[in-house]
Amino acid sequence: MTQSPYDYDLFVIGAGSGGVRASRIAASLGAKVAVAEEYRVGGTCVIRGCVPKKLMTYAAHFHEDFEDAVGFGWDAVTPNFDWTKFIAAKDAEIDRLNGLYKKMLASNTVEVFESRATLEDAHTVRMGDKTVTADTILVATGGTVNLPRTPGVEHAITSNEAFHLKELPKDIVIVGGGYIAVEFAGIFNGLGSNVTLIYRRDRILRGFDEDLRIRLQKAMQDKGIKILCHTDVEAIEKTGDGLSLTLNSGENLKTDQLMYAIGRRPYTEGLGLERAGVALDTNGAVTVDDYSRTNVENIYAVGDVTDRIALTPVAIKEGHAFALTRFKGTPVSPDHHNVASAVFSHPPIGTVGMTEDQALDKLGDVDVYESDYRPMKNTLAGRDERAYAKIIVDCKTDKVVGIHMIGPDSPEIIQGFAVAIKMGLTKADLDKTVAIHPSSAEELVLMSTKRN
């Protein structure tokens, strides 16, 4: 056998979800693999994204649970939330997960370099004073936060810093209307902060189904979150007791903390991609084909850095498909169709398939079934908050092309229905299914009346 002229068969830049999966699968297929990570193994999701944020979401829900318990016969309590204790517990869990990822890579004989890596050329990677070569290079550096050029923006935080605040702010302003913004608004509101959400458009969660957007915005306002639409921050000034924000309306807003959650962009800056000849699109994302290959034959990219669908499970699928394509000789194209997603807002959202507007644009004629109901738990709790479920059906084929829910357990419910939609679920299939009663999930198999 001819000895390889390279140090590694595969070198992965970035040890997030996509990079770790690709490394592990490639190594299991016999490749000599190394991965470089400049921060911590696990990536945005595990270290400073969906995992710690979900833990914060759990913590924030307890204040309503304590209130609701009284309606079920429990004595009223006066709970006290300890931010410091929670952050310590959250950090310990993230440390544990970071350690597990390292052990998993080590057990698969993947060499880990805890260093920033950049490309010198199409086969050479630099880490400080050290260079190594690789037959194949995978870019899996994920995304990074966007910040505006607003005067005084250095006084603001992003989601990165929100996980490590020394104390819970009494007042916080969050700029943005996407899922990260609304999730953190719910978190800080639930933990006891006074929250103001500022969004420059007319309604939060652009791109989601309109009925969910309307209901979530109202639910958040009912919980005491102040939402200012058609609004932006034009200047930020540090004061003796916090921050003073100048809004585009001319109004001044005082707050303890300002957080920007205005989207993320592919993390490609300073990676040396131009030296290797890798093409980027106008947003700075690595351009790839259906098999995650760039315009440079031996360089691939997966995950948020490609700006396809910026979700952790998608990055994992892309990483796995890449490894099979490159190291097993089995070309696999990751499937980006009908990818389910969730927003862990308060209340949460689960969704899969087309929105109503998308279905109307693409199909022309659709049937819409919906159910607006009060979750059973809320009756004895005395809580007026309602839930909502919606099914969108292609009139011509009877296929379900979209399901959208807002309310308790929506993400858990949608996961199962996502499988059915991938398999060609029809409305007739739902009608034939016996419901689980009493449950919120049964709403999706009991809808019988089309919306006028």
Side-chain angles (χ1 to χ4, degrees):
M1 182 182 291
T2 305
Q3 187 172 356
S4 170
Y6 303 106
D7 298 319
Y8 299 97
D9 299 314
L10 171 65
F11 195 99
V12 181
I13 303 177
S17 299
V20 167
R21 174 59 66 93
S23 300
R24 185 171 67 82
I25 300 302
S28 73
L29 294 171
K32 184 180 180 183
V33 182
V35 59
E37 174 54 58
E38 64 180 321
Y39 183 48
R40 302 182 75 188
V41 175
T44 297
C45 177
V46 172
I47 305 302
R48 52 182 178 269
C50 37
V51 171
K53 188 175 56 179
K54 185 71 180 289
L55 295 174
M56 294 179 87
T57 298
Y58 283 133
H61 266 295
F62 278 103
H63 91 281
E64 287 188 351
D65 292 339
F66 287 128
E67 292 172 359
D68 292 351
V70 177
F72 289 85
W74 291 88
D75 289 338
V77 297
T78 305
N80 177 58
F81 176 69
D82 188 325
W83 172 264
T84 304
K85 184 183 289 186
F86 167 72
I87 292 298
K90 181 267 298 178
D91 288 346
E93 174 62 8
I94 300 308
D95 287 344
R96 185 185 74 84
L97 293 174
N98 176 242
L100 285 178
Y101 269 73
K102 286 183 175 180
K103 285 180 182 176
M104 179 172 61
L105 289 172
S107 67
N108 283 274
T109 65
V110 175
E111 189 173 359
V112 178
F113 293 96
E114 296 188 46
S115 170
R116 177 172 175 78
T118 58
L119 294 177
E120 292 287 292
D121 58 42
H123 289 282
T124 308
V125 179
R126 175 172 293 280
M127 294 170 288
D129 296 331
K130 179 183 178 67
T131 60
V132 298
T133 59
D135 183 20
T136 301
I137 291 172
L138 176 68
V139 180
T141 48
T144 187
V145 293
N146 279 327
L147 276 172
R149 295 179 179 176
T150 306
V153 73
E154 67 273 12
H155 302 304
I157 64 169
T158 68
S159 57
N160 289 346
E161 294 78 35
F163 295 118
H164 303 287
L165 293 175
K166 291 183 178 178
E167 57 186 30
L168 180 68
K170 180 181 177 184
D171 298 278
I172 185 168
V173 173
I174 300 173
V175 181
Y179 73 94
I180 296 174
V182 301
E183 286 176 343
F184 271 105
I187 286 166
F188 282 112
N189 171 257
L191 296 178
S193 301
N194 297 315
V195 180
T196 300
L197 185 71
I198 289 178
Y199 188 44
R200 60 191 178 92
R201 298 181 184 272
D202 64 334
R203 187 173 293 127
I204 60 173
L205 285 188
R206 183 167 64 97
F208 284 77
D209 190 86
E210 197 69 14
D211 284 307
L212 299 192
R213 298 175 70 194
I214 292 168
R215 283 166 170 78
L216 179 60
Q217 185 157 317
K218 182 181 184 303
M220 291 173 67
Q221 290 169 323
D222 289 344
K223 292 177 187 294
I225 297 171
K226 187 176 182 180
I227 300 178
L228 304 178
C229 292
H230 299 294
T231 304
D232 207 351
V233 177
E234 293 193 339
I236 306 157
E237 183 183 352
K238 179 80 171 172
T239 64
D241 57 354
L243 298 173
S244 176
L245 314 180
T246 302
L247 306 183
N248 57 350
S249 62
E251 180 186 354
N252 276 83
L253 190 60
K254 308 290 185 184
T255 186
D256 297 333
Q257 195 68 256
L258 171 65
M259 174 181 166
Y260 274 96
I262 56 174
R264 297 174 66 84
R265 67 182 188 277
Y267 183 28
T268 52
E269 245 176 88
L271 292 181
L273 295 172
E274 68 286 349
R275 289 194 293 269
V278 176
L280 306 180
D281 69 12
T282 54
N283 295 322
V286 179
T287 303
V288 294
D289 65 13
D290 290 342
Y291 298 92
S292 298
R293 177 180 257 164
T294 73
N295 61 302
V296 180
E297 185 179 4
N298 71 298
I299 299 180
Y300 292 71
V302 298
D304 294 5
V305 76
T306 66
D307 203 21
R308 287 177 281 184
I309 299 178
L311 293 172
T312 294
V314 173
I316 291 171
K317 287 286 188 184
E318 290 171 357
H320 199 129
F322 151 77
L324 295 177
T325 299
R326 186 66 168 174
F327 296 101
K328 193 177 181 182
T330 306
V332 178
S333 175
D335 184 359
H336 295 100
H337 185 58
N338 280 334
V339 173
S341 65
V343 181
F344 295 103
S345 46
H346 294 208
I349 282 172
T351 181
V352 61
M354 288 186 272
T355 67
E356 183 176 348
D357 287 342
Q358 288 169 342
L360 287 170
D361 287 344
K362 184 173 182 179
L363 304 174
D365 193 15
V366 297
D367 289 330
V368 177
Y369 299 80
E370 59 187 348
S371 175
D372 185 304
Y373 60 99
R374 190 182 184 195
M376 187 176 182
K377 181 185 173 185
N378 289 355
T379 56
L380 291 191
R383 192 171 294 280
D384 292 330
E385 185 173 290
R386 300 184 69 77
Y388 173 79
K390 176 178 187 177
I391 299 170
I392 302 163
V393 180
D394 182 350
C395 295
K396 301 180 189 69
T397 64
D398 196 45
K399 278 196 174 182
V400 176
V401 296
I403 300 180
H404 309 278
M405 290 189 77
I406 179 170
D409 302 318
S410 292
E412 304 292 344
I413 294 168
I414 287 296
Q415 178 67 85
F417 284 95
V419 177
I421 284 185
K422 293 290 283 188
M423 297 181 70
L425 176 71
T426 65
K427 183 63 173 66
D429 293 329
L430 290 174
D431 295 340
K432 288 185 289 188
T433 302
V434 177
I436 297 175
H437 180 75
S439 70
S440 289
E442 70 178 315
E443 298 294 330
L444 292 173
V445 300
L446 293 178
M447 293 185 206
S448 57
T449 306
K450 298 175 191 177
R451 188 175 69 192
N452 293 328

